[in-house]
Amino acid sequence: DIQMTQSPSSLSASVGDRVTITCQASQDISNYLNWYQQKPGKAPKLLIYDASNLETGVPSRFSGSGSGTDFTFTISSLQPEDIATYYCQQYDNLPPGITFGQGTRLEIK
Amino acid sequence: QVQLQESGPGLVKPSQTLSLTCTVSGGSISSGGYYWSWIRQHPGKGLEWIGYIYYSGSTYYNPSLKSRVTISVDTSKNQFSLKLSSVTAADTAVYYCARVPMVVGYYFDYWGQGTLVTVSS
C-alpha cells in the first residue's frame, strides 16, 4: 500500500504570509493527489484536485504542484479565514484505494 | 447543487452493527459517472476512507475494514448505506458520506455534514 507523509503536522503563520505544506508518497502516484481544507466541526472541502487544478469557486491564493512522489500545497497570502486543518489525499488503483495524509493544522500567529 | 445527508443512530452498543444511510439530493445516483463513498474521522484525528459503491452495486473497501464493512445502494430512494459489524469503541467517529467523480485521480467533491456515532454500552 502507498503511504502518505504530510508535513508539517502544525504550522503557525501571520496574515499575509506565504504558507507551504508538503505531501510525500511512498511510490510514484503520478498526479493523483488532492488537497482539502477542514474547519472545526465541518466536513472537508475540496480545494485542489489532480495535484494542481483549482476546484471551482476556490480562491486563487490556493495552489498545488508536484508529481510523482513529492507534492506541495501553497497559500500565497494567508487570510484569517484560512485557519483550518489541511489534508492531502491520494488514489491508488492497485488495489483500488484512497489514503489521506495525517493533516496539517494551520494557526494564525 | 448536489447535497448529501447522513442519517442513523448516534449510539451503538459494542459488538452490534453500525448502520448509516446517505440520502442524495440534487442529482440521481443511477445516472452514473460517480462513486458514492463513506469516510470516517475519529475524534480529533485524521480521515479514513471506508469504501465506495457504484450505482450498479460494484464496491471497493478499505482492506483494513473489509471484513466488517458492507456498502449498499438503493437507487429507488437515491440512497446508499453503510453497515459496519462487530463494532468496538475504536469505531467511535464522525462518519461522512461523499461523492467521487469517476475520473482518473479519485477525489471527493461533495460531502455530507457528517454524523457522530458513539460506540458505548
Side-chain angles (χ1 to χ4, degrees), chain B residues 13-91:
Chain B
K13 289 182 166 51
S15 79
Q16 293 189 343
T17 296
L18 178 160
S19 296
L20 296 174
T21 295
C22 183
T23 301
V24 179
S25 57
S28 173
I29 286 178
S30 57
S31 65
Y34 301 97
Y35 287 114
W36 302 92
S37 187
W38 289 96
I39 302 108
R40 70 180 182 178
Q41 186 169 34
H42 295 104
K45 301 297 184 183
L47 298 158
E48 179 180 31
W49 170 70
I50 298 171
Y52 49 72
I53 190 167
Y54 192 52
Y55 81 95
S56 62
S58 299
T59 53
Y60 298 94
Y61 300 136
N62 186 327
S64 68
L65 297 168
K66 187 175 182 178
S67 64
R68 298 194 293 130
V69 172
T70 302
I71 298 177
S72 58
V73 64
D74 186 340
T75 55
S76 67
K77 295 181 178 179
N78 220 33
Q79 296 175 335
F80 63 105
S81 298
L82 168 70
K83 290 188 185 298
L84 181 65
S85 64
S86 304
V87 298
T88 69
D91 295 308

Side-chain angles (χ1 to χ4, degrees), chain A residues 32 34 36 38 42-43 87 89, chain B residues 41 96 104 106-108 112:
Chain A
Y32 303 158
N34 311 304
Y36 300 83
Q38 186 179 32
K42 300 294 187 182
Y87 293 93
Q89 171 249 312
Chain B
Q41 186 169 34
Y96 295 99
V104 177
Y106 291 4
Y107 51 83
F108 305 96

Side-chain angles (χ1 to χ4, degrees), chain A residues 26-65:
Chain A
S26 58
Q27 62 190 73
D28 191 334
I29 58 170
S30 185
N31 67 333
Y32 303 158
L33 195 285
N34 311 304
W35 293 96
Y36 300 83
Q37 176 192 67
Q38 186 179 32
K39 296 185 177 181
K42 300 294 187 182
K45 174 187 176 182
L46 178 66
L47 300 180
I48 302 288
Y49 64 94
D50 295 347
S52 61
N53 293 304
L54 194 66
E55 174 70 341
T56 302
V58 174
S60 59
R61 65 179 180 274
F62 297 101
S63 65
S65 65

Side-chain angles (χ1 to χ4, degrees), chain A residues 2-8 21-26 29 31-38 44-51 64-65 69-73 85-91 98-105, chain B residues 39 46-49 106-108 111:
Chain A
I2 296 176
Q3 306 302 315
M4 304 301 296
T5 302
Q6 184 176 341
S7 62
I21 299 168
T22 64
C23 207
Q24 186 172 57
S26 58
I29 58 170
N31 67 333
Y32 303 158
L33 195 285
N34 311 304
W35 293 96
Y36 300 83
Q37 176 192 67
Q38 186 179 32
K45 174 187 176 182
L46 178 66
L47 300 180
I48 302 288
Y49 64 94
D50 295 347
S65 65
T69 60
D70 295 303
F71 301 86
T72 300
F73 170 80
T85 299
Y86 293 85
Y87 293 93
C88 62
Q89 171 249 312
Q90 70 88 21
Y91 165 73
I98 291 173
T99 308
F100 291 90
Q102 301 92 329
T104 296
R105 177 174 292 183
Chain B
I39 302 108
L47 298 158
E48 179 180 31
W49 170 70
Y106 291 4
Y107 51 83
F108 305 96
W111 296 66

